[in-house]
Amino acid sequence: LRDDIVRPILGSRDGRLVKTMGDGFLAEFASPDSAFRAALEIQELSLDLAQQIPVRRRIVLRTGAHVGDVIVEGEDILGDGVNVAARLEGLAQPGGVACSSAFANSLSLVLTQQLTEDSEHKVKNISRPIKVWRWKSEKNNIDFPEDVRAKPPTIAVLPFLSRSSEDDQSFF
């Protein structure tokens, strides 16, 4: 995905791959329009690819997009702008894009019309709620591996059994 889809699209959209982190990556762009177009192309091509491979082997991307202040340290960027984008990525649907109002309001009208307004979300380590806007591909009706779907939390309480033959050890 990174070599065949992500890097070529970033290059064609004035984007820069800042860093990779496990199965994720951080990119910066010259403009919000370039960033959004790149995100849509990456998602569409990734979904096309996912349809061609077995469900268990599919890699499903989520994209978070934000316009905000960053600090440049060498080749890296960090700061509030990066943190908000990372939190938005966590709010995105599999195969979708979640962006902030700051990002949505920076887009040209034709691109903004592709977004659906969502609610405000309170996220970890961000003091203010984030108003979220979403994009979902029409191709986003394929089956995904179970671990990418949101699941409600589950708790199971089971009795402890003492395996010791010594009664004074049963507290373990």
Side-chain angles (χ1 to χ4, degrees), residues 22-98:
D23 61 354
F25 64 92
L26 174 64
E28 70 173 343
F29 292 85
S31 74
D33 281 11
S34 293
F36 191 61
R37 284 187 170 104
L40 300 189
E41 286 178 46
I42 289 168
Q43 290 293 27
E44 293 284 354
L45 289 174
S46 296
L47 290 168
D48 287 343
L49 180 62
Q51 289 177 327
Q52 300 171 25
I53 59 178
V55 174
R56 291 181 175 259
R57 297 190 42 100
R58 290 180 181 166
I59 296 174
V60 184
L61 303 177
R62 301 169 196 257
T63 302
H66 178 63
V67 172
D69 294 331
V70 296
I71 299 166
V72 178
E73 282 191 3
E75 293 294 313
D76 200 3
I77 59 173
L78 42 105
D80 190 58
V82 173
N83 295 337
V84 171
R87 297 299 179 228
L88 287 162
E89 180 270 332
L91 295 173
Q93 298 296 316
V97 177

Side-chain angles (χ1 to χ4, degrees), residues 2 8 16 21 38 44-45 72 85 90 97 102 119 121-122 136 148:
R2 189 179 311 133
R16 176 177 78 94
M21 302 139 319
E44 293 284 354
L45 289 174
V72 178
V97 177
S119 60
H121 293 262
K122 181 82 175 118
K136 180 181 176 187
V148 300

Side-chain angles (χ1 to χ4, degrees), residues 10 16 33-35 69 78 82 86 103 108 117 137 144 151:
L10 294 181
R16 176 177 78 94
D33 281 11
S34 293
D69 294 331
L78 42 105
V82 173
F103 185 86
S108 60
E117 188 175 5
S137 171
F144 297 118
K151 293 181 184 179

